Amino acid sequence: MIMNNASDDIYKKKLGARILSEANDLKRNIQALAADLGMDEELVQRAVNGEESLEVQYSIVEKMGETYPIDHTDMYIPVDDCTDGVKIMRAEESKRSSRVFNRKNSRGAPTPFYEYRDTAMSVHSPFRPEWIKELRVVDDDDPENPDVVYNKGHFMHQLTFFIGPVNFYYDVFGKKACAQMNTGDSNYITPFHPHTFTSRDTEQDAIIIAVTFGGDVRQSQKELYALGEKGERFVLDVRNPRRAQAQRIEQCMQAANISKECLQGQGINPDEVLGGGELLGADTLAKLAELLRVDPVELRIPAYREEEEVVVRYGSKESGYLYPSEQESVYRIFPLAQTYKLPFVRGFRYHVMTDQRTGAAVLEHQLHSYLYNYGDIPIMLHWNNGDEWYAECIEPNDSAYVQPFTKYAFTNTEGEGSLIEIRIPGKVGSATIRELSTFADPARAIKETTCWYDQK
Ligand SMILES: [Fe+2]
């Protein structure tokens, strides 16, 4: 059960609207809903209006789960744990979450390998960012060094920022490699590729900020688990693009009840489109797409980029760019590792060149933002969630979360400072944005306010 502040009227109105939306989907007006649940109609109406206690609202949600074939857990809306769109985690609080885990060394003895600390995250944030100190020190960059213990890979994508002399090891389908990283460098790791990190120096701190996050697959996890092995049939062989294209065409044909014979009847050779060889040309794709009544983009398979299984970016050797322009520069920005697979996952390192919150310094976008001060001096974070501007000092090792569409800006204090930001899309991905935008009244998809028909 998600805990909420009972006095939160805004939250109760949202949950009431969500109940109304679900009832509309089930084609139940309030009277029919109350009758089905064996509850008083006026009580249900007040709960939908957000005028009853959370306990009453929750009991309606639970009863709906018992009464209808729905996944009622989807109706719970996590409470907003941010203050005006921002949540800050101080270095001290991070330190208190410290855990040290052992892994075996070359002699088989379990010795400290990592110290983990939590950093800023919110109930709404799609990321789980950890501060991780490398405690195993090595004196070479041999990926087969027996002191180097790889993990098994994990479900979440990972974007990592490096601080100090860190060795990064990765294993892509049995091929191991080591990259010597330094402050300012970064990487991206595709889910389930084994990887690990060590220190190259007993005298210096070797730290990573490991931002793990779930993409669209994370949003679909419930259904994939429910489907079990059948879920594997969604998977395209993207490392073999021609085969992936044939699989995708077949998926679309099956969904549309279009047989090979139908293709043939329309002058398309099924052996050609479902066979091997070269990727299909634009003309064939357009013809197929028309027959299947899908946008051609559905049948297009992105080029396979082997170098993006794991991306290593030596940002420490880059000079960055001035934002927004050379003439009016408020930030020097150094982009972190990127992948075409996740075009809206963006990381940056900032040097803050202004002490004024000018319009040029203000950032605003649709992504969830994670901030971490990896330097020695504070940086001011300003944000605006309506009319008013707020400001907090982000001290060294402090971190923060900023909600989508919150305006924010950085100003410097004693110097340009050292700040990283990692931006991740939430549950509202590209496909959702496109679909929502086609609705006749998108606002009602965000907060349902009415029965689906006029009851007067
Ligand atoms: Fe990891």
Side-chain angles (χ1 to χ4, degrees), residues 151 154 158 195:
N151 64 12
H154 45 69
Q158 181 168 334
H195 54 274

PDB file of all heavy atoms in Angstrom, residues 151 154 158 195, ligand 1:
ATOM      1  N   ASN A 151      29.962  -8.706 -12.454  1.00  0.00           N
ATOM      2  CA  ASN A 151      28.605  -9.077 -12.055  1.00  0.00           C
ATOM      3  C   ASN A 151      27.979  -9.908 -13.195  1.00  0.00           C
ATOM      4  O   ASN A 151      28.659 -10.246 -14.176  1.00  0.00           O
ATOM      5  CB  ASN A 151      27.752  -7.838 -11.709  1.00  0.00           C
ATOM      6  CG  ASN A 151      27.546  -6.925 -12.913  1.00  0.00           C
ATOM      7  OD1 ASN A 151      27.829  -7.298 -14.054  1.00  0.00           O
ATOM      8  ND2 ASN A 151      27.045  -5.731 -12.677  1.00  0.00           N
ATOM      9  N   HIS A 154      22.594  -6.666 -15.484  1.00  0.00           N
ATOM     10  CA  HIS A 154      21.302  -6.425 -14.836  1.00  0.00           C
ATOM     11  C   HIS A 154      20.260  -5.851 -15.802  1.00  0.00           C
ATOM     12  O   HIS A 154      20.599  -5.373 -16.885  1.00  0.00           O
ATOM     13  CB  HIS A 154      21.450  -5.534 -13.605  1.00  0.00           C
ATOM     14  CG  HIS A 154      22.331  -4.339 -13.795  1.00  0.00           C
ATOM     15  ND1 HIS A 154      21.979  -3.294 -14.595  1.00  0.00           N
ATOM     16  CD2 HIS A 154      23.571  -4.055 -13.294  1.00  0.00           C
ATOM     17  CE1 HIS A 154      22.947  -2.381 -14.557  1.00  0.00           C
ATOM     18  NE2 HIS A 154      23.943  -2.822 -13.796  1.00  0.00           N
ATOM     19  N   GLN A 158      22.338   1.287 -17.808  1.00  0.00           N
ATOM     20  CA  GLN A 158      23.216   2.007 -16.880  1.00  0.00           C
ATOM     21  C   GLN A 158      24.006   3.087 -17.595  1.00  0.00           C
ATOM     22  O   GLN A 158      24.630   2.834 -18.622  1.00  0.00           O
ATOM     23  CB  GLN A 158      24.183   1.031 -16.197  1.00  0.00           C
ATOM     24  CG  GLN A 158      25.108   1.742 -15.205  1.00  0.00           C
ATOM     25  CD  GLN A 158      25.867   0.791 -14.305  1.00  0.00           C
ATOM     26  OE1 GLN A 158      25.416  -0.329 -14.039  1.00  0.00           O
ATOM     27  NE2 GLN A 158      27.017   1.222 -13.830  1.00  0.00           N
ATOM     28  N   HIS A 195      29.567  -6.555 -16.097  1.00  0.00           N
ATOM     29  CA  HIS A 195      30.532  -5.452 -15.997  1.00  0.00           C
ATOM     30  C   HIS A 195      31.021  -5.339 -14.566  1.00  0.00           C
ATOM     31  O   HIS A 195      30.432  -5.924 -13.648  1.00  0.00           O
ATOM     32  CB  HIS A 195      29.903  -4.134 -16.462  1.00  0.00           C
ATOM     33  CG  HIS A 195      28.624  -3.798 -15.747  1.00  0.00           C
ATOM     34  ND1 HIS A 195      27.404  -4.278 -16.172  1.00  0.00           N
ATOM     35  CD2 HIS A 195      28.365  -3.053 -14.645  1.00  0.00           C
ATOM     36  CE1 HIS A 195      26.451  -3.832 -15.358  1.00  0.00           C
ATOM     37  NE2 HIS A 195      27.018  -3.093 -14.415  1.00  0.00           N
TER      38      HIS A 195
HETATM   39 FE    FE B   1      25.783  -2.014 -12.939  1.00  0.00          FE
END
